Structures are given as C-alpha cells and as structure tokens.
C-alpha cells in the first residue's frame, strides 16, 4: 500500500515538473515581463487596484519556485536554494511584505533565466558538431533502390552506400569492398579497409567503393546517435568540484535555517529571519561551477573538440605531459613515397617502384594511391596496367569501443588547437575557484548585515542576486575566451623558469 502511494506521488511530481517546463524560455521571459510590470505598478501605485499588483509576481514567479522546491524534496529529498527561497516567500507574505515577496520571486527567476541562457549558448556550439547524422538512406526493396529517411531504416534492411556518402546506420557489409573514413568515431585519419562480413558504423564516410550492407543497429541504437547522446549529456554533473559545491550548498541551507530561527528568537523581528533566508540562499554558489564548465565545453566545441564527459576538462587542467599517436596527429595523414630500396639483386629500385605502382594503379587504399601518385609524379606518366588485379581488404578496428573510449575527441585535423584546449581547461578551473570564493564571501557579508538588521528582504534579494548575475556573467566569458599571444609567452616563460 505504502509503495503504491509513493509511486503515485512520484508520478504526480513528474507530471507537475513536466507542466512547469511547458513553454520553455519564451514562457519564462513572458512571465518575467508581466511580473516586472506588476512590480512597477505596485511600487509607484500607477493603477488603482483592489489588491497589490505584486501578487502577479508572486503567482507567476513565486509559485513555480515553491512547486520546484516541493518536487525536489519529494522526489530526491533535495534541500537546496529553492527551499530557502520558498520559505522566505511564504514568510514575507505572512507578515504582509507582499512587495518584498514579489520582488524576491522576480529576481530569483531572472537569475535562473540568465543561467539557462548561458547553458543554452554553450550547448548551441555542441549541437553544431553533432549534426553528423545522414538524412537519407538507399534501401534496396525487390531489387530496386529507394531513398528513404534515415530514421525509417529497420534492422535487417538491405542498403546501398555510394562512394563519398555518409553511412546512415550501423550494419554489416554483404557485398562490395571499400575503405571507410572513421575519423569522427576513432580519430584515426587514415581510412580502414572494409569487405564482406565487416561491420560499418553510422556517421563514418565511405571513401571509394560502392557496397551493400545489412542494417544491424538503427535509430537511437546506432553509433552516431550514441555519440550524440554522449556529447549532449556532457554536463557538469560528474565534475568533482561540482559535487564539492553542492555539498557546501546543502550545509549552507541547514545553517541558514538555524541562523534564521535563532535571529528571530533573539531579536524578536521576523523580518530579519526572512532576510537571512533570502541572502543565505546559495544561488550564486550553485551555478558558480556548472555554468563555467558548460561555457568551457561550448568554447571547446567551437574549436573542433567534442567533450563527452563533464569532468574531462577538470582532469585535463591537471595534465602536465601529453603522449601523441604520430600518424595523422602530428603528421598530415597523407602518405607519400620518400625512398624505394630493392632487397633483390636482380631487381633494381626503379623496376621495383614501377611494378609496385602498376599493381596499385586501381587500388582504392590510401597507401596504394600514394604509391601510384608519387610514381606518376616522378616518371611523368601513368604506371603500366597490371593483369588480373584484385583488391583484398585488410581487417579494420570495431569503432564501438572507440566511440566510448575518449572523453574528448578532436573531429578534424587541427591539432594546433590542442594548446587552446589545455589553456581553456586551466582558465575554467581559475574561473570556478574565483566564482566560489566570491559567492561565499558575498554570502558571509550579506548574512552579517541581515542579522544586524541593516538589510531588508528586498535589498537582500538585490544584493544576493547581483552576485548570481556576476558569477554567471563571469562564467559566460569563457564561451568566447581565447588565449592571447602574450598569455602563451607568459606560460612558456613560467615553464622555462
């Protein structure tokens, strides 16, 4: 019986949470505008009303805060900022401070909107990198080829992939031979040979030969969709420093409730207790870390990096030495012949080169093409034709492991961006530490002023949310941050010392 009640309550909370999210950012902005107008009408008494216009702000901005606090308490026993704000709102209304309640609710929602917009800007850069899914697929039905939306492909369907096309779903080659560029999945710049029985992954590019394949993983199960989910879920939640900030926030809530109760008992003024609840709320501390991490992830995406784990940049900031895979990373990944040497006394270097070029003339492998190209450049003519040419592909790597292996992936060949990524990770950690220090200092000063009665709930909300805005703005600066030449030289000088 109890289990059914708990399940019913959780379902109700989930529906309520879904309801609160309806309308998205446009709804939030609209409610804030209406609430702001209502507060102006209230403070200047612009329109004669039978009630205080601040009630509009309480209803439109305050009730969602209270409901979110209830949802957090019921579903996850989450005692965070919303709980303090809700208590402050209810207490303000009970003692007749209606305008203070409406103004606090308005400012709190405004701070939340600014945080959402910062995260949205960070994710916008990520979304551009993960739009790799092909839109259509060539499905073979009854011997005829038909173009269908990629999401309409079913497991077991027979597909044809032409040279230069992106593979639409995961599958197994049933006829044909080719080389596949798997850089988006594995980071390997050289194409991998594929033949009958080999697996191919969605999002990778067919380089040369046409082939037919049987779909094995489609839709959300495909490799490219898995990678997209990994990137989209790369939030700040797993970073250790976020957990530390959250633990501090929880303790701050407990201390705030205790301080408010003691102040009310000792001073006898409930308005001081309400102010303490407002200024003690860790609204500046809570976004101090995740907004900085999300902004840094957005910056990294603009420079060609897919950050798949929230704590990857935090760990990268501590890296002191880097090991590279040379081919296609420190080199261009475009092979060429630099030396030919024959080990057979009866076969000259020139003749060996000529025969190898002839054997590779119709090869679609990048190494074979390099031999043919370089031979032609040296001889000034096409290699002779080989008889009975047959391409036998090698066995490539399964990208299923690779797609889950790297926390940060470089999707192009711009390895010169790596110093920027490392500098960005260090800058991110400095921003986080500055945000946390500023938030805690501001909270401490505001609490002292609230206990002594210097601050009222309205001024307290302004001061405390000004801190939130400054923290979010400081984090947002990471979105377009780039290491300057002077910073690079300073870093190099520091290392040499």
């Amino acid at each position: 019986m109890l289990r059914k009640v708990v399940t019913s309550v959780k379902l109700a909370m989930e529906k309520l949470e879904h309801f609160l999210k309806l309308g998205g950012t446009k709804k939030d902005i609209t409610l804030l505008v209406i609430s702001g107008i209502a507060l102006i009408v209230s403070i200047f008494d612009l329109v004669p009303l039978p009630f205080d216009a601040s009630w509009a702000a309480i209803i439109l901005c305050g009730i969602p805060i209270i409901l979110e606090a209830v949802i957090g308490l019921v579903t996850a026993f989450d005692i965070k900022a919303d709980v303090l704000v809700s208590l402050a709102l209810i207490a303000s209304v009970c003692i007749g401070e209606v305008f203070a309640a409406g103004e606090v609710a308005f400012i709190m929602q405004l701070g939340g909107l600014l945080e959402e917009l910062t995260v949205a800007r960070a994710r916008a850069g990520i979304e551009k990198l993960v739009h790799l899914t092909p839109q259509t697929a060539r499905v073979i039905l009854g011997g005829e080829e038909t173009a269908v939306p990629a999401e309409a492909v079913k497991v077991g369907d027979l597909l044809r992939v032409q040279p230069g096309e992106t593979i639409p779903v995961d599958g197994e080659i049933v006829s044909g031979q080719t080389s596949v560029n798997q850089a988006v999945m594995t980071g390997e710049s050289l194409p991998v040979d594929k033949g009958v029985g080999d697996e191919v992954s969605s999002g990778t590019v067919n380089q040369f030969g046409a082939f037919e394949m049987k779909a094995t993983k489609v839709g959300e199960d495909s490799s490219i969709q898995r990678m997209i989910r990994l990137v989209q879920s790369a939030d700040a939640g797993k970073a250790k420093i976020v957990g530390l900030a959250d633990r501090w926030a929880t303790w701050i809530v407990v201390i705030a409730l205790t301080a408010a109760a003691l102040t009310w008992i000792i001073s006898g003024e409930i308005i001081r207790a309400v102010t303490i609840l407002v200024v003690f709320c860790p609204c500046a501390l809570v976004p101090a870390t995740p907004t900085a991490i999300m902004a840094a992830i957005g910056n990294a995406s603009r420079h060609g990096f897919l950050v798949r784990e929230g704590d990857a940049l935090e760990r990268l900031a501590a890296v002191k030495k880097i090991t590279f895979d040379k081919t296609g990373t420190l080199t261009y990944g475009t092979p060429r012949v630099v030396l030919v040497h024959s080990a057979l006394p009866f076969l000259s270097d020139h003749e060996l080169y000529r025969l190898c070029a002839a054997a590779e003339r119709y090869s679609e492998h990048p190494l074979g093409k390099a031999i043919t190209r370089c031979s032609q450049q040296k001889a000034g003519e096409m290699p002779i034709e080989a008889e009975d040419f047959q391409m036998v592909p090698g066995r490539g790597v399964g990208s299923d492991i690779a797609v889950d292996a790297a926390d940060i992936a470089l999707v192009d060949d711009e390895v010169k961006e790596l110093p920027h990524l490392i500098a960005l990770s260090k800058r991110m950690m400095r921003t986080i530490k500055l945000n946390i220090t500023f938030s805690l200092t501001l909270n401490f000063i505001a609490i002292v002023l609230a206990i002594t009665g210097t601050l009222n709930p309205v001024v307290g909300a302004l001061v405390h949310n000004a801190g939130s805005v400054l923290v979010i703005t400081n984090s947002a600066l990471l979105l377009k941050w780039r290491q300057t030449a002077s910073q690079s030289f300073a870093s190099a000088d520091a290392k040499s010392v």
Side-chain angles (χ1 to χ4, degrees):
M1 182 65 180
L2 180 60
R3 184 177 297 177
K4 288 183 178 180
V5 172
V6 172
T7 303
S8 299
V9 171
K10 285 190 174 181
L11 285 174
M13 292 298 104
E14 288 176 2
K15 290 180 179 179
L16 181 58
E17 188 173 17
H18 175 72
F19 173 76
L20 290 174
K21 290 180 180 178
L22 292 176
T25 303
K26 290 184 179 179
K27 179 207 69 177
D28 294 340
I29 294 174
T30 302
L31 296 183
L32 279 169
V33 170
I34 296 173
S35 300
I37 294 172
L39 289 171
I40 293 174
V41 170
S42 174
I43 195 171
F44 294 110
D45 198 19
L46 298 178
V47 180
L49 294 172
F51 58 88
D52 194 321
S54 299
W55 277 104
I58 294 173
I59 293 170
L60 297 178
C61 293
I63 289 181
I65 293 175
I66 295 172
L67 291 177
E68 287 171 4
V70 172
I71 292 170
L73 282 171
V74 172
T75 59
F77 199 65
D78 189 13
I79 307 176
K80 295 287 174 61
D82 286 344
V83 176
L84 286 183
V85 177
S86 299
L87 291 175
L89 289 175
I90 295 171
S92 296
V93 171
C94 290
I95 63 175
E97 293 284 348
V98 178
F99 177 80
E103 191 264 356
V104 168
F106 174 80
I107 293 176
M108 293 298 179
Q109 289 288 48
L110 179 61
L113 177 63
L114 290 174
E115 182 180 350
E116 286 179 15
L117 293 176
T118 301
V119 173
R121 285 184 62 195
R123 287 205 179 279
I126 298 172
E127 297 295 335
K128 291 178 183 178
L129 281 181
V130 296
H131 285 167
L132 305 169
T133 309
Q135 300 301 309
T136 59
R138 303 172 185 267
V139 177
I140 301 175
L141 295 171
E144 294 185 2
E145 181 183 298
T146 306
V148 301
E151 60 268 20
V153 177
K154 300 181 179 63
V155 174
D157 281 354
L158 187 64
L159 286 75
R160 179 176 291 128
V161 183
Q162 299 289 359
E165 292 183 345
T166 302
I167 299 172
V169 297
D170 290 11
E172 180 181 316
I173 296 179
V174 295
S175 68
Q177 297 174 342
T178 187
S179 291
V180 177
N181 185 336
Q182 302 182 143
V184 70
M185 290 292 180
T186 66
E188 175 57 55
S189 61
L190 290 178
V192 177
D193 290 338
K194 299 285 185 178
V196 175
D198 287 333
E199 294 181 350
V200 288
S201 300
S202 57
T204 58
V205 181
N206 180 27
Q207 291 288 83
F208 307 115
F211 65 88
E212 294 181 359
M213 59 176 281
K214 181 177 69 174
T216 57
K217 293 180 182 178
V218 300
E220 294 299 314
D221 294 329
S222 65
S223 297
I224 190 67
Q225 290 297 331
R226 281 171 45 224
M227 187 183 77
I228 289 174
R229 287 199 301 275
L230 282 170
V231 174
Q232 290 174 333
S233 65
D235 55 28
K238 294 183 179 178
K240 293 180 180 177
I241 198 165
V242 174
L244 180 63
D246 281 346
R247 286 195 295 273
W248 287 350
T250 302
W251 277 108
I252 285 175
V253 171
V254 176
I255 295 171
L257 292 173
T258 305
L262 290 175
T263 302
W264 184 14
I265 293 171
I266 294 172
S267 68
E269 298 181 28
I270 191 173
I271 193 71
R272 293 193 187 188
V274 171
T275 306
I276 289 173
L277 291 177
V278 172
V279 300
F280 225 135
C281 170
C283 287
L285 177 62
V286 171
T289 301
T291 53
I293 292 177
M294 287 307 303
I297 290 175
N299 183 309
S301 70
R302 288 182 170 89
H303 291 268
F305 294 96
L306 287 175
V307 181
R308 298 170 177 167
E309 291 292 342
D311 66 340
L313 290 175
E314 181 184 3
R315 287 183 280 120
L316 182 63
V319 169
K320 293 183 172 58
K321 295 181 181 179
I322 301 176
T323 302
F324 291 95
D325 169 44
K326 178 181 71 65
T327 305
T329 305
L330 300 182
T331 61
Y332 286 106
T334 305
R336 63 188 181 90
V337 178
V338 296
L339 177 66
V340 178
H341 177 69
S342 174
L344 302 175
F346 57 84
L347 188 65
S348 67
D349 295 346
H350 174 74
E351 185 66 11
L352 175 63
Y353 198 3
R354 191 176 71 89
L355 293 175
C356 287
E360 298 287 0
R361 179 172 178 176
Y362 297 107
S363 171
E364 296 176 342
H365 192 278
L367 296 180
K369 284 181 170 293
I371 293 172
T372 303
R373 183 184 71 251
C374 293
S375 173
Q376 183 180 353
Q377 290 173 351
K378 185 174 182 179
E381 60 182 8
M382 287 291 293
I384 61 174
E385 289 198 26
E387 297 179 1
D388 192 23
F389 171 80
Q390 182 180 5
M391 185 175 78
V392 180
R395 307 295 292 182
V397 178
S399 62
D400 276 354
I401 297 175
V403 71
D404 293 327
D407 293 335
I408 302 177
L410 179 61
V411 297
D412 51 33
D413 294 328
E414 295 295 333
V415 71
K416 65 183 180 182
E417 293 288 354
L418 188 57
H420 168 78
L421 183 68
I422 296 173
L424 174 66
S425 67
K426 297 182 185 298
R427 177 75 176 196
M428 180 196 77
M429 292 304 295
R430 288 198 295 271
T431 298
I432 290 172
K433 290 174 182 176
L434 177 62
N435 285 349
I436 290 176
T437 301
F438 171 77
S439 302
L440 292 175
T441 302
L442 183 66
N443 262 27
F444 177 77
I445 295 173
I447 290 161
V448 173
L449 294 176
I451 290 174
T452 59
T454 306
L455 292 183
N456 60 36
V458 174
V459 178
L462 285 171
V463 170
H464 145 110
N465 275 279
S468 298
V469 171
L470 287 174
V471 163
I472 294 168
T473 302
N474 189 41
S475 295
L477 293 176
L478 285 171
L479 280 169
K480 294 186 177 181
W481 180 84
R482 184 166 184 95
Q483 188 178 31
T484 62
S486 60
Q487 287 173 325
S488 300
F489 290 141
S491 177
D493 290 341
K495 289 178 181 177
S496 63
V497 173

